[in-house]
Amino acid sequence: MIYSSVSSPVNIATLKYWGKRDSKLNLPTNSSISVTLSQNDLKTTTTAYASSEFNEDRLFLNGKLESLDSERTQACLLDLRTLRKQYKDDGVAELKLTIVSENNFPTAAGLASSAAGFAALIYSIAKLYDLPSDLSELSKIARKGSGSACRSLFGGFVAWEMGEKEDGSDSKAVEIAPISHWPSLKAIILIVSDDKKDTPSTVGMQTTVKTSDLFQYRIREVVPKRFEEMKQAILDKDFPSFAELTMKDSNSFHSVCLDSYPPIFYLNDVSKHCIKIVQDINKEEIIAAYTFDAGPNCVVYYDEKDEDKVLGEVYKYYGNVNGWGNKKYEITNERSGINRVILTSIGDGVKEIEEILSIPN
Amino acid sequence: MIYSSVSSPVNIATLKYWGKRDSKLNLPTNSSISVTLSQNDLKTTTTAYASSEFNEDRLFLNGKLESLDSERTQACLLDLRTLRKQYKDDGVAELKLTIVSENNFPTAAGLASSAAGFAALIYSIAKLYDLPSDLSELSKIARKGSGSACRSLFGGFVAWEMGEKEDGSDSKAVEIAPISHWPSLKAIILIVSDDKKDTPSTVGMQTTVKTSDLFQYRIREVVPKRFEEMKQAILDKDFPSFAELTMKDSNSFHSVCLDSYPPIFYLNDVSKHCIKIVQDINKEEIIAAYTFDAGPNCVVYYDEKDEDKVLGEVYKYYGNVNGWGNKKYEITNERSGINRVILTSIGDGVKEIEEILSIPN
C-alpha cells in the first residue's frame, strides 16, 4: 500500500466564473480571478491510497462512502493514471484507489467545497503517482472535475485563463501574485441563514448562457477589460481599484443571473444588508470589497490595517454570532439573518502534509 | 372663472423606460410599451381653473397646497400657455391657474402616481384652453413633466417612441391598440409592505446610465428588438409571447439596476416570492406575466379566462389582505409581506368628466 496526504484551500473569485463553453471539459466562457483563502480557517484534507488489495476505487468524504462514478471524476482519474503510465509504467496506475477526504468547515455553511475538494483529490493522487507535472498542468485536470477547483492549486492571487483551444489544453490556472506579494489581505465571510436550496451553479450557468441577452455582452466586452484591470490592481496593490472591480463584477454576475429566464436569484434581503454595511464602511474611502458566489453568503475583502473599521461595522449588527474569536466591538443594531462569521486571510495553495487520514472501516 | 375637469389612468410598463438621454426634456434612452389600467380602480381626477381673481398659479394635491415651481412643471405650463396664445390670443393664457387634483388610491401604496398626475394636469389645462392638439402632441408636453406620463394619455396598449431629435419633437406616445382590441386583459397588483425608501427613479436612472456596463447593451441591442416583438405579440393577442417578453424585460431592467454602481435593488424577498407564484401558475402554460417598476410591488397581467387559476394561486398565500372584493378561494399557505391587492383590468385613457373638484379654502 502506498499513500500520499495533501491539504487544499478554498478560493473565492473576485472576477467570477459563470458560463461554460464546453460542459464536458469544463471550459469557461470567460477568464476569472480569485483569492486563495487560508487553510488555517478553511481547508480540505485528503489522503490517497493505492493498493493491490483494493477491489474498486472508493471515496470517503467526511467519513461517508461517496460515489466516484460521475463522468467528471472519472475523467480526472483517467488523466492522472495516463500520466502515471507515461511517467512510469510499473503497474501503480492500475491499482485501485481509496481516497479519504475531510473538510475542516461545515459543508452546511454553503461554501463551495467542491473547489477545495477536487484540488485536494487531484493533488493527492498526483503526489501518490509522483508526477513531475507543474501546478498549471495539474490545474487542467482539476478543472475537468470542478471548474473553479483549478484555481485552488495555487496560493495568493490566481487567474484561470479561459484559453481558446477546443481540447481545453490552454484553459488553466496561473499565479498572478503569491501570498507574499500582499500578505495583509484579509477576509470576513458572513454565512447567511437560508433554508432554501439555491439553483446549483452548473444548472444556473446553462440557463444564463442559453437565455440571458446581457450575458453575451458581459463575456465579450465587460470581463476581458476587467480581467486586465484587476490583474493590474493586484500587481499594484491598489486596494480601492481592486475593491471597486471586485464589487462591480459581483454585481455584474448577479445581474446576468437575474437576466436569465427564468431569473436566478442568489442574493436575498440579508445579502443586500451586507452590501449596505460595506457601502457604509466605504463612505469616506474604499477599504472593503463585497463579493457573492452562487448563494447568499457575503465575502468581504479588506486590508489588515483597516481591520477594526471593517469588522467593527459588521459587529454592530452581527456581533452575537459564532466565529468572532477574541474580536470584540460594540453591538448597537443587532440583526438576525447571519448564522456565523469566518475570519480569514489570503493563503497558500495545495501542499503535502504529514497528517494521514485513515480509511474508515 | 373658467374650468375643466378630467380624469387620467395609471399605466404600467411591460417594456420598461429606464434611462434619460436628456434629463431636462425627459428624453429616454429607449422606447417603451405600457398597458393602461382601468380608472375604475386607479385614477387621478383633476379640475383646472383659470381666473383673473387668482394671484398665482396653485396646485392642491389631495387637499394639500403643493408647489408648482419645479422646472418640469413650469416647462409644461409654459408650453400649454404658448399653444393657447397661438390658438387664441385673448388673455386666457395669461390668467393664473388653480389646479385641484386627487388620487382615488393611497399615495402610500407606492404606485407611481406621477404618471397619472401629470397626464391629468396637462389634459385638464389643454381642455380648459380648448386646444385642438391631438393626444400624441399633448404627450410631448406630459413627457416633460414626468416621462411615463406621456403614456397615460392613451388607453389600451401604448408605445412611447423614443425619437431621435435633440429637441424631443419626435419623442411621443402613440396607441398600439385600443382597449377594444383585447378587453379581457386583467391585472392584479400586489402591494408589498416595505418601510424602506426606494432609490427615486430619476436618481436611479442617472446612476445606471453612468455606471452600468450592461445598460448600453440593453438599450442598443435588447430593447429595440423586444419593442418590435412585443408590439407584434399585442397585435396578435398572443398572450404567451406577450407574457414572456414582459417578464424578460422586467428581469432585464432590474438586472441593469443591479449592475449599477452602487447597485440599485428594487426587488426584495417578497417580490421574489411573487415571481415564484407566477412561475408556479405558468408551470403548464404561460397564462400570467409579472412585472416590477422601480419598487417591490408586483403587477401580474393575465387574461380573464384564466382568472380563477391566476387569482387562486395568489390567494393561497395572500388571501387575507384587503382588496379581494367578493373573490374567494382557498388559503393554504398564508404568508406575510403583502399589504393589499388591487384587482383591475386594461382601461381607457384621459377623459373629460362631469365631476368638479372644488377649490379647498
Side-chain angles (χ1 to χ4, degrees):
Chain A
M1 181 143 73
I2 54 172
Y3 64 84
S4 176
S5 254
V6 307
S7 73
S8 168
V10 164
N11 74 78
I12 301 287
T14 51
L15 184 58
K16 300 297 186 190
Y17 157 48
W18 194 253
K20 300 179 201 281
R21 66 179 200 273
D22 181 322
S23 58
K24 197 165 174 293
L25 294 173
N26 267 345
L27 299 179
T29 51
N30 63 266
S31 297
S32 54
I33 292 176
S34 60
V35 174
T36 297
L37 299 182
S38 172
Q39 295 177 49
N40 295 334
D41 308 302
L42 298 162
K43 74 173 165 195
T44 298
T45 305
T46 297
T47 304
Y49 297 87
S51 165
S52 57
E53 287 170 29
F54 297 154
N55 298 318
E56 50 175 359
D57 292 334
R58 293 180 304 171
L59 165 66
F60 291 95
L61 183 58
N62 296 323
K64 274 180 59 186
L65 192 63
E66 303 269 346
S67 169
L68 279 169
D69 288 347
S70 81
E71 216 175 312
R72 297 237 156 97
T73 312
Q74 287 299 315
C76 294
L77 296 183
L78 181 63
D79 279 2
L80 290 162
R81 283 181 160 131
T82 306
L83 284 177
R84 167 67 191 194
K85 261 203 258 192
Q86 284 166 3
Y87 169 62
K88 224 186 233 179
D89 195 4
D90 59 355
V92 165
E94 281 75 26
L95 297 175
K96 296 296 179 191
L97 294 161
T98 294
I99 314 294
V100 188
S101 196
E102 269 173 22
N103 298 327
N104 74 340
F105 54 94
T107 315
L111 290 161
S113 49
S114 65
F118 266 102
L121 176 77
I122 271 62
Y123 197 62
S124 63
I125 300 173
K127 286 292 141 189
L128 182 75
Y129 287 174
D130 203 20
L131 298 179
S133 316
D134 70 12
L135 289 181
S136 279
E137 281 306 308
L138 290 179
S139 80
K140 296 181 206 167
I141 304 178
R143 186 206 73 221
K144 291 186 192 173
S146 165
S148 54
C150 72
R151 296 186 312 237
S152 268
L153 293 169
F154 290 93
F157 299 89
V158 187
W160 174 8
E161 297 172 345
M162 64 177 289
E164 290 175 354
K165 295 191 184 158
E166 269 191 35
D167 66 357
S169 58
D170 57 350
S171 185
K172 60 179 195 294
V174 298
E175 184 189 88
I176 295 176
I179 180 174
S180 59
H181 171 68
W182 196 343
S184 57
L185 193 74
K186 307 202 81 177
I188 175 171
I189 308 176
L190 292 91
I191 307 291
V192 173
S193 332
D194 194 26
D195 45 5
K196 129 179 173 306
K197 185 77 196 99
D198 292 311
T199 310
S201 60
T202 301
V203 177
M205 282 184 201
Q206 303 299 19
T207 305
T208 302
V209 171
K210 255 191 285 181
T211 64
S212 166
D213 304 300
L214 303 179
F215 172 74
Q216 294 303 327
Y217 189 73
R218 165 173 165 78
I219 60 167
R220 275 204 319 260
E221 304 289 334
V222 180
V223 172
K225 188 163 167 277
R226 192 170 282 156
F227 182 80
E228 296 304 327
E229 290 170 347
M230 193 179 283
K231 245 168 57 174
Q232 199 54 52
I234 290 168
L235 294 174
D236 296 344
K237 293 176 67 173
D238 175 352
F239 189 85
S241 296
F242 170 71
E244 187 172 320
L245 293 164
T246 295
M247 293 187 279
K248 282 185 170 173
D249 200 68
S250 176
N251 297 344
S252 169
F253 153 48
H254 291 281
S255 292
V256 298
C257 288
L258 171 49
D259 187 53
S260 306
Y261 186 79
I264 303 163
F265 295 99
Y266 289 119
L267 307 180
N268 66 18
D269 286 351
V270 180
S271 314
K272 284 192 259 174
H273 182 240
C274 297
I275 291 177
K276 176 72 173 50
I277 293 174
V278 171
Q279 288 172 337
D280 288 344
I281 292 170
N282 287 339
K283 215 157 245 170
E284 285 170 25
E285 50 169 343
I286 300 187
I287 58 171
Y290 62 77
T291 189
F292 297 83
D293 276 353
N297 296 336
C298 182
V299 177
V300 180
Y301 288 113
Y302 61 92
D303 192 281
E304 194 165 25
K305 71 173 165 45
D306 300 311
E307 179 150 276
D308 287 340
K309 274 194 223 161
V310 174
L311 298 190
E313 194 69 24
V314 177
Y315 202 94
K316 269 190 192 172
Y317 303 94
Y318 303 115
N320 265 337
V321 303
N322 285 330
W324 287 101
N326 56 9
K327 300 282 170 196
K328 188 107 188 106
Y329 304 91
E330 214 183 335
I331 300 175
T332 55
N333 301 292
E334 193 171 356
R335 279 239 205 175
S336 61
I338 297 290
N339 260 342
R340 56 176 291 197
V341 298
I342 297 170
L343 299 174
T344 186
S345 58
I346 192 168
D348 281 324
V350 286
K351 54 189 174 194
E352 289 192 82
I353 57 170
E354 300 276 318
E355 184 192 354
I356 296 160
L357 299 179
S358 54
I359 303 173
N361 292 317
Chain B
M1 180 143 71
I2 56 173
Y3 65 84
S4 175
S5 253
V6 308
S7 72
S8 167
V10 164
N11 74 79
I12 300 286
T14 51
L15 184 59
K16 299 298 185 189
Y17 157 48
W18 194 252
K20 301 178 200 280
R21 66 178 201 273
D22 181 322
S23 58
K24 196 164 176 292
L25 293 172
N26 267 345
L27 300 178
T29 51
N30 63 265
S31 297
S32 54
I33 293 177
S34 61
V35 174
T36 297
L37 299 183
S38 171
Q39 295 176 51
N40 295 336
D41 308 301
L42 299 162
K43 74 174 165 194
T44 298
T45 305
T46 297
T47 305
Y49 297 87
S51 165
S52 57
E53 288 172 27
F54 299 152
N55 299 318
E56 50 176 357
D57 292 332
R58 293 180 303 172
L59 165 67
F60 292 94
L61 182 57
N62 295 324
K64 274 180 58 186
L65 192 62
E66 304 270 345
S67 170
L68 278 170
D69 289 347
S70 81
E71 215 175 312
R72 297 238 157 98
T73 312
Q74 287 300 315
C76 294
L77 296 182
L78 180 63
D79 278 2
L80 290 162
R81 283 179 161 132
T82 305
L83 284 176
R84 168 67 192 196
K85 261 205 258 191
Q86 284 165 4
Y87 169 63
K88 223 186 232 178
D89 194 6
D90 58 356
V92 165
E94 280 75 26
L95 296 175
K96 296 295 179 191
L97 295 162
T98 294
I99 315 293
V100 189
S101 195
E102 269 173 21
N103 298 326
N104 74 340
F105 53 95
T107 314
L111 290 162
S113 50
S114 65
F118 266 102
L121 175 77
I122 272 61
Y123 197 62
S124 63
I125 300 173
K127 287 291 139 189
L128 182 77
Y129 287 173
D130 204 19
L131 298 179
S133 315
D134 71 11
L135 289 181
S136 279
E137 280 306 309
L138 289 180
S139 80
K140 297 182 207 168
I141 303 177
R143 188 206 72 222
K144 293 187 193 174
S146 165
S148 53
C150 71
R151 297 186 311 237
S152 268
L153 293 168
F154 290 94
F157 299 88
V158 186
W160 174 7
E161 298 173 342
M162 63 178 287
E164 290 176 354
K165 294 189 185 159
E166 268 189 38
D167 67 356
S169 58
D170 56 352
S171 186
K172 61 183 194 294
V174 298
E175 183 188 270
I176 295 176
I179 181 172
S180 59
H181 171 67
W182 196 342
S184 57
L185 193 75
K186 307 203 79 176
I188 174 171
I189 308 176
L190 291 91
I191 307 290
V192 173
S193 332
D194 194 24
D195 45 5
K196 130 180 172 306
K197 185 79 194 98
D198 293 311
T199 309
S201 60
T202 301
V203 176
M205 282 185 201
Q206 303 298 19
T207 304
T208 301
V209 172
K210 254 191 285 177
T211 65
S212 167
D213 304 300
L214 303 178
F215 172 74
Q216 294 303 327
Y217 190 72
R218 167 173 162 78
I219 60 167
R220 276 205 317 262
E221 304 288 335
V222 179
V223 172
K225 188 163 168 276
R226 191 170 282 155
F227 182 80
E228 296 304 327
E229 291 171 346
M230 192 179 283
K231 245 168 59 172
Q232 198 54 52
I234 290 166
L235 294 174
D236 295 344
K237 292 176 67 174
D238 175 352
F239 187 85
S241 296
F242 170 70
E244 187 172 321
L245 293 164
T246 295
M247 293 187 279
K248 282 185 171 174
D249 200 67
S250 176
N251 297 343
S252 169
F253 152 48
H254 291 281
S255 291
V256 299
C257 288
L258 171 48
D259 188 53
S260 306
Y261 186 80
I264 303 162
F265 295 98
Y266 289 119
L267 307 180
N268 67 18
D269 287 350
V270 179
S271 313
K272 285 192 258 175
H273 183 239
C274 297
I275 291 178
K276 177 71 173 51
I277 293 174
V278 171
Q279 288 172 337
D280 288 345
I281 292 170
N282 288 339
K283 215 157 248 172
E284 285 170 25
E285 52 169 342
I286 299 187
I287 58 172
Y290 62 77
T291 189
F292 297 83
D293 275 353
N297 296 335
C298 183
V299 177
V300 180
Y301 288 113
Y302 60 92
D303 192 279
E304 193 164 26
K305 72 174 165 45
D306 300 310
E307 179 149 276
D308 287 339
K309 274 193 222 161
V310 174
L311 297 190
E313 193 67 25
V314 178
Y315 203 93
K316 269 190 191 172
Y317 302 94
Y318 303 115
N320 265 337
V321 302
N322 285 330
W324 287 102
N326 56 7
K327 300 283 172 197
K328 188 107 187 106
Y329 304 90
E330 214 184 333
I331 299 175
T332 56
N333 302 291
E334 191 171 357
R335 280 239 204 173
S336 61
I338 297 291
N339 259 343
R340 57 176 290 199
V341 299
I342 297 171
L343 299 173
T344 185
S345 57
I346 192 168
D348 281 325
V350 286
K351 55 190 174 192
E352 288 193 82
I353 56 171
E354 302 276 316
E355 184 194 353
I356 296 161
L357 299 180
S358 55
I359 302 174
N361 293 318

